[in-house]
Amino acid sequence: MPIRRWIVRLQERLHTKHFGRVVVFSCEVRSTNEWAKELAVAGASHGTVVVAETQKSGRGRLAREWISPAGGLWFSLILRPNLHPAEAAKLTFVAGLAVADVLNEMFGLNSETKWPNDVLVNKRKICGVLSEMSTTGDTINFVVVGVGINVNFEVEDVFPKELKEAATSLESELGRKVRLEELFIGLLERLESLYEFFLEKGFSPVLEKWKNYAGFLGCKVKVTSQTEDLNGLALDVDYDGSLILRLENETLRHILVGDVSLNVQ
Ligand code: BTN
């Protein structure tokens, strides 16, 4: 069923205090993150969700294109947390954990988290999270958490050759379509409960849960940044969200969440 048919009665079924209490929908946008940022600047409330059936210029990390055909779940959540800007990157882990939990619980999949912002199934990417924030000095004005999940389309039909090997979708994994509405409701509810858990208990218990899904830990990885490539063993993820890498010469490096990508070897 197209999103516009169920989005109008979403609130009736949603058990959340803030997340999804205001939903803004369009059949086609450039990018839900871009639209959410415009709405946030104009004063949109905490928990507002911006969702689209397709994105013409969906964006991933490192300015990559995010292919967003009909059948996927493409949305951005506007948050106004009372956090220091340095803490905001942790919201990406909260979102990744929520997606991994929901994919496992609703569909019985063995999803994995991959530092810093991916969720994988069978080692292929099914979801990416793009968090962006606006600050004034040490104050966060808002954070936009953009979530993209490949749902009701076959990877084979949609992705270019070079991405087919690395990506998957719920339809490709399950061999059937799923109800996008159920997934969206489950996800918004889990996102809100984990967000509150994070604010109340801090990042450590969130990170522990996230690490329970982290299949890349203990594996050989290559971290690519604008300035260098680093090969090593992914030892751990630190409390600040940085990746702890043991290099081939046995020294330890902390890699901050930023303009880096990680490939599991
Ligand atoms: C990544 O893995 O690089 C992050 C991908 C994030 C994609 C989502 S889809 C909804 C939102 N709008 C965007 O333009 N990007 C995010």
Side-chain angles (χ1 to χ4, degrees):
M1 196 197 299
I3 298 183
R4 64 182 175 279
R5 299 263 294 277
W6 54 257
I7 207 83
V8 285
R9 49 188 170 77
L10 182 80
Q11 272 95 355
E12 291 163 24
R13 300 196 42 211
L14 202 54
H15 295 99
T16 54
K17 280 203 292 264
H18 302 287
F19 288 19
R21 289 289 125 209
V22 177
V23 176
V24 181
F25 166 75
S26 175
C27 290
E28 185 174 84
V29 293
R30 280 180 296 120
S31 151
T32 57
N33 265 36
E34 292 308 314
W35 195 16
K37 283 191 280 181
E38 287 164 22
L39 292 171
V41 168
S45 57
H46 173 76
T48 298
V49 169
V50 178
V51 59
E53 193 128 47
T54 59
Q55 301 185 111
K56 277 187 297 188
S57 319
R59 286 190 305 107
R61 286 177 66 246
L62 310 170
R64 289 179 182 142
E65 178 193 10
W66 183 261
I67 297 170
S68 317
L73 187 55
W74 325 121
F75 71 95
S76 303
L77 176 63
I78 297 172
L79 299 176
R80 297 189 182 275
N82 188 11
L83 292 172
H84 189 275
E87 304 284 286
K90 295 173 181 174
L91 293 168
T92 301
F93 291 83
V94 171
L97 172 60
V99 173
D101 272 351
V102 165
L103 296 188
N104 285 17
E105 289 167 20
M106 286 183 73
F107 306 109
L109 292 168
N110 281 322
S111 55
E112 286 180 24
T113 49
K114 194 185 104 180
W115 186 88
N117 71 320
D118 296 349
V119 179
L120 315 181
V121 173
N122 286 327
K123 307 291 175 202
R124 292 170 182 213
K125 181 159 169 169
I126 198 162
C127 166
V129 179
L130 177 66
S131 300
E132 299 180 273
M133 74 174 154
S134 153
T135 56
T136 305
D138 274 354
T139 306
I140 292 180
N141 302 319
F142 61 82
V143 181
V144 165
V145 180
V147 179
I149 309 181
N150 302 331
V151 187
N152 288 329
F153 53 82
E154 288 281 356
V155 165
E156 197 55 32
D157 302 336
V158 165
F159 286 98
K161 200 163 155 263
E162 65 276 12
L163 287 181
K164 275 180 189 164
E165 286 291 292
T168 192
S169 69
L170 276 174
E171 185 169 335
S172 298
E173 293 301 321
L174 299 171
R176 64 177 169 90
K177 296 202 188 293
V178 304
R179 292 187 61 180
L180 216 49
E181 179 182 3
E182 307 300 325
L183 172 61
F184 198 28
I185 289 171
L187 188 53
L188 287 176
E189 289 177 351
R190 183 57 58 99
L191 270 167
E192 186 173 89
S193 66
L194 284 172
Y195 175 75
E196 284 174 356
F197 180 71
F198 166 53
L199 293 186
E200 203 181 308
K201 306 273 185 212
F203 187 51
S204 284
V206 172
L207 184 60
E208 285 315 308
K209 286 175 188 282
W210 185 95
K211 284 200 280 192
N212 286 337
Y213 288 114
F216 70 97
L217 286 176
C219 293
K220 281 187 168 177
V221 298
K222 179 182 196 170
V223 178
T224 307
S225 73
Q226 276 162 344
T227 50
E228 58 183 345
D229 284 353
L230 293 171
N231 288 298
L233 196 71
L235 274 191
D236 203 356
V237 176
D238 211 348
Y239 179 73
D240 61 1
S242 62
L243 174 69
I244 306 176
L245 196 64
R246 190 166 71 209
L247 301 181
E248 282 157 356
N249 66 8
E250 298 296 312
T251 55
L252 296 187
R253 280 281 284 269
H254 282 241
I255 319 278
L256 291 171
V257 178
D259 290 346
V260 288
S261 66
L262 175 97
N263 283 300
V264 182
Q265 306 287 283

